[in-house]
Amino acid sequence: MILLDGKQTSADIKVEIAAAVSEIKNQGKRAPHLAAILVGTNGASMTYVGAKVKACELVGFDSTLIDLPVETTEETLLAQIHTLNDNPAIDGFIVQLPLPKHIDEQKVLMAVHPDKDVDGFHPMNVGRMALDLPTFLPATPYGIMELLERYKIPTSGKQVVVIGRSHIVGRPMSILMSQKRPAGDATVTIAHSRTTNLAELTLEADIVVAALGIPEFLTAEMVKPGAVIIDVGITRVPDETKKRGYRIAGDVHFESVAEKASYITPVPGGVGPMTIAMLLKNTLLACERHAANSFI
Ligand code: NAD
């Protein structure tokens, strides 16, 4: 079994991005600038946004964190988004999800200008992705594609089962792997909460992408020997032996599945760090387009 080391791979990508930033600065241009909007004090969201800001600093990007109270109205949030859309010093920005219940998430994602939508969630960018046109790919599926590509894992003609059909992970993952592209050309099945014969499907799969958010759901009995296993899940499971009171669990029962798998991503240290690296990559792309005045 070989570990798909997202921590190391993302570190390699960050070195590449930092080199590109140095080049930009050497040309007398300004560094890429990512902004993040955080509404409320959700613990996981605060951790993710903090990690994104830290990653920006590491590669030499400018970053702006806009921290809004949980009672922020939809109107105020939309006004903030329009300000960022109009600010030429910002190359791209993200609105950390989930948002408080009183805010319409779809309305918010639609308000982000597609040229600054480095999360790739705007319908225009989702459409461009589905049509295989240049765009900002959503960071988590993009990170998985990059990991598969850098580890030279054959995907052409392989049977892939993606578990989960969310707009940010499962659905785009299934689209990308079915396309004619590096880490693509696969025959993809997308499974979800209404799938009745999941173990039958996963037992046939050469590659399984587990993105359902149920800790340790995928067990060894559900996996074909030699399969490649991608674990997207991140769930905080209460654990009193830990100082912080919880541990992070993936969607795969790592100990048992690792014995059968040819490649497997750990949690943490697999898909998570890749997601952040690809957000940086999208921001670099946004900056390059900005500088060249060549938008989507
Ligand atoms: P989601 O809740 O939006 O979607 C879960 C999907 O799983 C749904 O489509 C649902 O139909 C499916 N599902 C639920 N129960 C199932 C079952 N028993 N069998 C088959 N399918 C089932 O979740 P999401 O936003 O896609 O996230 C999934 C997991 O990935 C979560 O743990 C989340 O925290 C994690 N995540 C990790 C990263 C990362 O960077 N590593 C990024 C995004 C999400």
Side-chain angles (χ1 to χ4, degrees):
M1 180 276 293
I2 296 172
L3 214 54
L4 292 169
D5 188 344
K7 204 171 164 193
Q8 182 57 50
T9 309
S10 68
D12 296 344
I13 294 169
K14 285 180 197 158
V15 168
E16 294 162 16
I17 295 174
V21 175
S22 294
E23 185 57 33
I24 290 171
K25 288 182 179 168
N26 286 344
Q27 290 168 7
K29 298 180 197 153
R30 64 164 181 77
H33 191 160
L34 175 73
I37 303 179
L38 174 66
V39 186
T41 52
N42 176 299
S45 294
M46 287 166 76
T47 307
Y48 295 145
V49 168
K52 289 168 188 174
V53 169
K54 208 167 131 203
C56 282
E57 284 165 15
L58 193 79
V59 297
F61 285 8
D62 291 329
S63 64
T64 299
L65 174 58
I66 298 163
D67 222 335
L68 300 174
V70 69
E71 61 274 12
T72 301
T73 63
E74 188 177 281
E75 200 185 0
T76 306
L77 178 58
L78 289 172
Q80 184 64 67
I81 289 172
H82 292 306
T83 305
L84 291 174
N85 282 340
D86 294 340
N87 183 347
I90 301 286
D91 294 299
F93 65 98
I94 60 164
V95 182
Q96 185 66 43
L97 302 179
L99 290 167
K101 295 252 179 300
H102 64 275
I103 297 177
D104 180 344
E105 206 162 278
Q106 206 50 44
K107 216 166 167 182
V108 166
L109 297 181
M110 293 270 279
V112 177
H113 194 289
D115 289 331
K116 296 196 175 188
D117 171 39
V118 285
D119 257 340
F121 293 162
H122 189 284
M124 183 189 272
N125 288 327
V126 176
R128 293 186 66 92
M129 174 200 63
L131 294 172
D132 212 353
L133 296 168
T135 189
F136 300 115
L137 297 179
T140 302
Y142 189 12
I144 296 169
M145 297 300 281
E146 191 78 15
L147 205 51
L148 292 170
E149 196 183 334
R150 289 192 184 227
Y151 273 87
K152 298 186 170 54
I153 291 176
T155 56
S156 179
K158 300 293 180 191
Q159 299 285 343
V160 175
V161 171
V162 176
I163 313 174
R165 59 179 164 188
S166 75
H167 294 161
I168 61 166
V169 189
R171 178 82 53 196
M173 196 62 225
S174 69
I175 293 172
L176 291 171
M177 289 204 76
S178 70
Q179 286 175 334
K180 197 172 175 63
R181 60 161 70 233
D185 284 324
T187 305
V188 183
T189 303
I190 182 158
H192 45 77
S193 53
R194 299 300 173 100
T195 301
T196 52
N197 56 343
L198 185 59
E200 277 171 42
L201 299 172
T202 53
L203 274 168
E204 293 291 317
D206 302 303
I207 302 171
V208 179
V209 180
L212 68 160
I214 302 181
E216 294 163 1
F217 176 88
L218 191 80
T219 54
E221 308 82 68
M222 299 170 76
V223 170
K224 178 166 100 169
V228 176
I229 307 295
I230 308 292
D231 188 351
V232 186
I234 301 179
T235 307
R236 291 182 173 191
V237 177
D239 184 342
E240 284 177 8
T241 66
K242 303 276 184 235
K243 214 166 127 193
R244 55 190 178 180
Y246 64 87
R247 67 184 171 91
I248 300 291
D251 287 347
V252 175
H253 187 265
F254 186 87
E255 287 76 38
S256 64
V257 174
E259 284 179 17
K260 271 180 118 175
S262 56
Y263 293 86
I264 186 166
T265 58
V267 175
V271 176
M274 290 301 291
T275 297
I276 295 184
M278 303 326 274
L279 173 68
L280 298 177
K281 223 170 150 133
N282 278 342
T283 307
L284 177 63
L285 175 66
C287 176
E288 287 165 352
R289 283 180 172 168
H290 217 138
N293 236 330
S294 120
F295 294 109
I296 302 173

